């Protein structure tokens, strides 16, 4: 057997350890990259989930915001008599609008405008009868508080057929959380800015 050249063994051992250390470093870097990739995927999934949850919460809050206002109803009809162009008496010289609170909470500052600015000439508590609503106790507009299941009847001033046609009723009220709403004669419900009639 020959003599081992020990001068080369430490070099070989150093090279083996260096290669092992390099391999471990490469494995560690790959492992960290994989972990970072997994974390990015997890964060992306969480971001999507949070965005969906945030949208669901926003939609639920919006539904809660509109819930009571959607339960306020307005019906209206022409009432009284007036002379037509030929002197015949016909129905309809003024509007009668009935605002009904079918929600489980009161509504506040209930008012009806006829056209742009005409206020109600008369306001009464509306009492349910078998054939509709009948006027009860006289009230003052705007009706400060209209409790659950209660109704108020608003009558316009009298006018001609063109006035009746051009001055349809719109209801205004505040829900129990203080938001102001308008409900027009077509049934369109909108949030109304403060200061509207």
């Amino acid at each position: 057997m020959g003599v081992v050249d020990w001068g080369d063994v430490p070099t070989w051992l150093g090279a083996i350890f260096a290669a092992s250390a390099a391999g471990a470093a490469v494995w560690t870097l790959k492992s960290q990259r994989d972990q970072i990739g997994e974390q990015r995927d997890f964060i992306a999934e969480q971001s999507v989930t949070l965005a969906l949850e945030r949208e669901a919460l926003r939609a639920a809050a919006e539904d809660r915001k509109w819930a009571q206002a959607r339960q306020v109803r307005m019906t209206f009809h022409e009432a009284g008599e007036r002379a037509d162009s030929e002197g015949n008496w016909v129905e309809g010289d003024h509007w009668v609008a009935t605002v009904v609170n079918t929600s489980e909470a009161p509504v506040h500052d209930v008012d009806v405008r006829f056209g742009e600015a005409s206020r109600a000439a008369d306001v009464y508590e509306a009492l349910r009868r078998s054939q509709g609503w009948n006027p009860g106790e006289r009230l003052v507009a705007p009706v400060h508080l209209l409790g659950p299941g209660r109704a108020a009847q608003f009558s316009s001033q009298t006018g001609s057929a063109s006035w009746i046609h051009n001055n349809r009723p719109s209801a205004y009220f505040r829900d129990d959380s203080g938001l102001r709403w308008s409900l027009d004669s077509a049934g369109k419900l909108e949030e109304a800015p403060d200061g509207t009639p």
Side-chain angles (χ1 to χ4, degrees):
M1 244 178 47
V3 178
V4 176
D5 186 3
W6 290 104
D8 287 338
V9 171
T11 302
W12 282 104
L13 287 176
I16 291 171
F17 286 127
S20 297
V26 167
W27 180 82
T28 301
L29 286 174
K30 183 186 177 317
S31 175
Q32 286 178 345
R33 279 191 198 127
D34 290 346
Q35 287 178 349
I36 289 171
E38 289 172 6
Q39 287 176 349
R40 283 184 183 150
D41 291 345
F42 178 75
I43 289 170
E45 288 174 15
Q46 289 298 311
S47 295
V48 169
T49 301
L50 288 173
L52 291 172
E53 288 176 356
R54 190 170 34 252
E55 186 57 36
L57 288 172
R58 189 175 296 129
E62 191 70 14
D63 281 347
R64 279 192 308 276
K65 174 179 151 182
W66 286 76
Q68 184 186 14
R70 286 185 182 126
Q71 295 181 55
V72 174
R73 310 275 190 262
M74 178 179 68
T75 60
F76 56 94
H77 64 278
E78 293 180 34
E81 294 183 330
R82 62 178 161 73
D84 66 8
S85 60
E86 297 172 4
N88 300 317
W89 287 99
V90 294
E91 280 217 27
D93 71 345
H94 68 280
W95 287 111
V96 175
T98 304
V99 177
V100 183
N101 177 11
T102 64
S103 75
E104 295 180 4
V107 291
H108 309 271
D109 303 325
V110 181
D111 203 0
V112 173
R113 297 297 170 106
F114 300 91
E116 290 295 315
S118 294
R119 297 192 78 156
D122 292 306
V123 182
Y124 293 92
E125 178 181 13
L127 303 174
R128 187 71 152 161
R129 299 289 187 240
S130 62
Q131 301 197 355
W133 297 96
N134 288 341
E137 181 182 329
R138 189 178 183 98
L139 303 172
V140 176
V143 176
H144 176 67
L145 182 74
L146 190 60
R150 305 298 293 258
Q153 203 169 64
F154 298 79
S155 297
S156 73
Q157 63 189 23
T158 58
S160 65
S162 63
W163 186 90
I164 295 291
H165 177 74
N166 292 323
N167 291 285
R168 297 177 76 79
S170 292
Y172 296 89
F173 61 93
R174 287 190 189 282
D175 64 19
D176 204 34
S177 63
L179 293 174
R180 186 154 173 76
W181 299 91
S182 68
L183 178 62
D184 70 12
S185 60
K188 182 179 179 185
L189 178 67
E190 293 182 304
E191 220 178 319
D194 281 333
T196 53

